[in-house]
Amino acid sequence: MQIFDTPVYDLPSIAFFGRSLTEYRKFFDLDLDALCGRSVLDVAAGPASFTAEACRAGIEAVAVDPLYGKGAEALAAHVQLDYGHMFNRMRETANQARFRFKSFASIDAAERDRRAAAQRFLNDYDAHFVHGRYFGAALPQLPFLDRGFDVVLCAHLLFLYPASFDYAFHVAACRELMRVARDEVRIHPICGPDGKPYAELTRLTAELRDAGIEAREVAIDYEFFVGSNTTLILTRLSS
């Protein structure tokens, strides 16, 4: 595996950045037909359009993010700022080798798709925040009941911000995600922004097992940037 000494994603704070249902299906390895009629929570969802699209497809989806609660115009400003920074970094010559063009033919294609997803989110957020589809909150404490959702998803957060989240946070976050999940949790990716696998995965897996949680790393048919070709699935151990 090719790895890099410096990260391409170097925002000083957590990026307000999102993706579409199509990308979610790929990097979480989701069976959308099997999710119809079931409840799904997207944690740290940002401006992803997964919840909007999933609800239209008959999935009972809810999203949570620290910035939810702000007006749609304020969130649109976050999109413009963070997307501009992220895609400018992606286009820098030194970063070109970091990307695997399997899902998109180019960075331009990825930008068009993700900006369209953000716009779908903004439209849906404006219409459905008042209906309880979007909640403002953050890990490691979520405002939901134990086992309140069949499936819980968390994308592009835990291991991509080593300066913001330490090992103790990872443990607490995984336990909280599992607390609100009835069946399983899916976390993607399991690498840092430099493409290196999460160094504490063995330790994390062991500690979660002691807490009654099984953590399995699974290969996926997706890799937007180097190292992002696996997903972590959490389930409860049989008692």
Side-chain angles (χ1 to χ4, degrees):
M1 177 189 298
Q2 186 178 10
I3 56 179
F4 298 87
D5 293 330
T6 57
V8 63
Y9 303 111
D10 63 347
L11 287 172
S13 59
I14 310 306
F16 194 64
F17 199 81
R19 296 155 183 84
S20 68
L21 179 144
T22 297
E23 276 202 86
Y24 270 52
R25 180 183 61 78
K26 292 177 180 178
F27 59 64
F28 281 129
D29 194 24
L30 297 176
D31 182 344
L32 297 180
D33 290 336
L35 289 178
C36 281
R38 304 186 74 204
S39 58
V40 179
L41 176 66
D42 186 11
V43 178
S49 63
F50 169 79
T51 293
E53 295 182 84
C55 286
R56 286 199 293 271
I59 299 169
E60 297 175 10
V62 170
V64 59
D65 190 275
L67 290 184
Y68 295 167
K70 294 178 179 288
E73 289 186 2
L75 295 186
H78 280 282
V79 167
Q80 288 302 107
L81 179 65
D82 284 0
Y83 278 50
H85 179 94
M86 296 284 269
F87 284 109
N88 285 341
R89 291 286 285 127
M90 290 180 196
R91 288 190 174 90
E92 292 178 3
T93 302
N95 290 323
Q96 291 302 305
R98 300 171 185 266
F99 298 98
R100 299 290 181 259
F101 296 107
K102 298 179 179 180
S103 298
F104 300 105
S106 64
I107 295 296
D108 287 348
E111 180 173 11
R112 287 192 297 271
D113 184 87
R114 291 173 179 181
R115 285 190 180 275
Q119 189 58 55
R120 288 193 295 274
F121 156 77
L122 290 168
N123 293 341
D124 196 68
Y125 177 89
D126 195 38
H128 293 290
F129 177 79
V130 295
H131 300 142
R133 186 175 289 183
Y134 298 94
F135 286 83
L139 287 168
Q141 292 184 323
L142 299 175
F144 304 112
L145 297 174
D146 294 356
R147 306 192 185 198
F149 298 87
D150 293 317
V151 177
V152 176
L153 310 175
C154 185
H156 301 91
L157 178 72
L158 294 189
F159 311 123
L160 285 180
Y161 295 92
S164 299
F165 304 128
D166 60 11
Y167 175 76
F169 179 90
H170 295 153
V171 173
C174 287
R175 294 187 65 167
E176 180 70 353
L177 292 168
M178 195 73 246
R179 180 188 70 77
V180 300
R182 189 179 69 120
D183 294 337
E184 67 177 25
V185 173
R186 298 194 174 210
I187 300 168
H188 175 84
I190 322 175
C191 66
D194 53 7
K196 297 178 182 178
Y198 177 53
E200 299 279 12
L201 184 59
T202 299
R203 180 185 174 196
L204 176 66
T205 298
E207 187 158 347
L208 290 177
R209 176 169 284 276
D210 289 342
I213 300 169
E214 180 182 30
R216 296 183 293 113
E217 182 179 12
V218 298
I220 54 172
D221 186 21
Y222 175 94
E223 188 178 21
F224 180 68
F225 63 91
V226 170
S228 61
N229 58 354
T230 61
T231 285
L232 192 66
I233 300 180
L234 308 182
T235 54
R236 288 182 180 81
L237 290 168
S238 301
S239 56

